[in-house]
Amino acid sequence: MLTYPSWPPRQLVSAAGLNQYVFENNRALVSPSAFRVKGLESVGEFSSRVELKWDLWDFERQGWTSADMKRFRCPAAGTYFLSANLTFRPPPSMDGKRAAMVDVLIYSSGRDGSESTPLLKSLNNTKIIGSYLSVNTSGLAYLAEGDLLYATTFGNGGAWAKVSSENKNWSMNAFSAIQIAPDAKKLGG
């Protein structure tokens, strides 16, 4: 959170007195709280809602943590830009007549994991047999300090599968958050 000091008119303020405000505020603005995870080796086939388990931390700043690589604890309150990008192979049983659909939902929950709130959702569909299908969502959300952030997916129309590739899906599957307003109290008005 940004700190805004105030002094009485015409008060002399030393550089040491200003430093903590200038340095800390600049640090929060220049290097905001953020994380990115990637890879879904832990996800095989699915035909119901799945909470995603990520393989690797791509980067982390200012104290994001996770006990299970599914839920990520927010270290600082503020408005965040969230993003989830997933690529899967539609069900092999698809006949090309009816669309198969896959979605991604990003949720937050309280620090104890209760009371999940859906924040962002995206849905994509295809009728192309044997293709890949990407679903992406991104947007703004307010997170309180200690909130848990996680993503789920659901495939409709049969058993969806992760895309097999030599780079272990790292370029095709990622989940991230970056703080853009550290002194926000809520999203909007």
Side-chain angles (χ1 to χ4, degrees):
M1 182 168 204
L2 300 180
T3 305
Y4 302 99
S6 63
W7 292 276
R10 302 185 54 84
Q11 178 180 345
L12 180 62
V13 179
S14 69
L18 281 175
N19 189 42
Q20 67 180 359
Y21 302 107
V22 173
F23 177 78
E24 290 302 321
N25 285 352
N26 281 342
R27 185 178 69 82
L29 294 170
V30 171
S31 183
S33 170
F35 83 95
R36 183 175 188 267
V37 289
K38 61 186 180 179
L40 289 174
E41 287 297 306
S42 57
V43 175
E45 287 191 352
F46 61 94
S47 57
S48 61
R49 179 134 329 264
V50 175
E51 186 172 341
L52 297 172
K53 182 176 182 182
W54 301 90
D55 295 335
L56 296 169
W57 288 93
D58 194 17
F59 68 85
E60 178 281 321
R61 282 195 305 249
Q62 295 192 16
W64 283 87
T65 59
S66 178
D68 57 7
M69 292 301 282
K70 290 183 179 182
R71 296 183 179 222
F72 300 87
R73 188 168 305 279
C74 178
T79 298
Y80 284 80
F81 180 78
L82 310 176
S83 177
N85 307 298
L86 310 173
T87 301
F88 297 113
R89 184 177 288 281
S93 60
M94 251 180 73
D95 61 9
K97 296 175 186 171
R98 298 178 64 193
M101 296 175 278
V102 66
D103 73 15
V104 59
L105 274 86
I106 298 178
Y107 291 91
S108 72
S109 64
R111 60 177 58 242
D112 62 355
S114 64
E115 300 180 26
S116 290
T117 303
L119 301 174
L120 300 169
K121 179 179 182 174
S122 184
L123 175 70
N124 202 355
N125 65 63
T126 186
K127 288 186 177 182
I128 301 171
I129 298 170
S131 64
Y132 297 112
L133 186 65
S134 292
V135 61
N136 309 293
T137 189
S138 60
L140 300 176
Y142 176 80
L143 299 175
E145 182 179 343
D147 278 358
L148 295 169
L149 190 65
Y150 63 100
T152 68
T153 191
F154 174 71
N156 185 21
W160 288 74
K162 70 178 170 90
V163 176
S164 58
S165 70
E166 292 181 16
N167 69 359
K168 299 184 179 182
N169 300 320
W170 295 345
S171 65
M172 295 182 277
N173 299 294
F175 180 39
S176 63
I178 184 165
Q179 190 180 51
I180 62 168
D183 55 349
K185 304 284 188 258
K186 63 181 182 175
L187 186 61

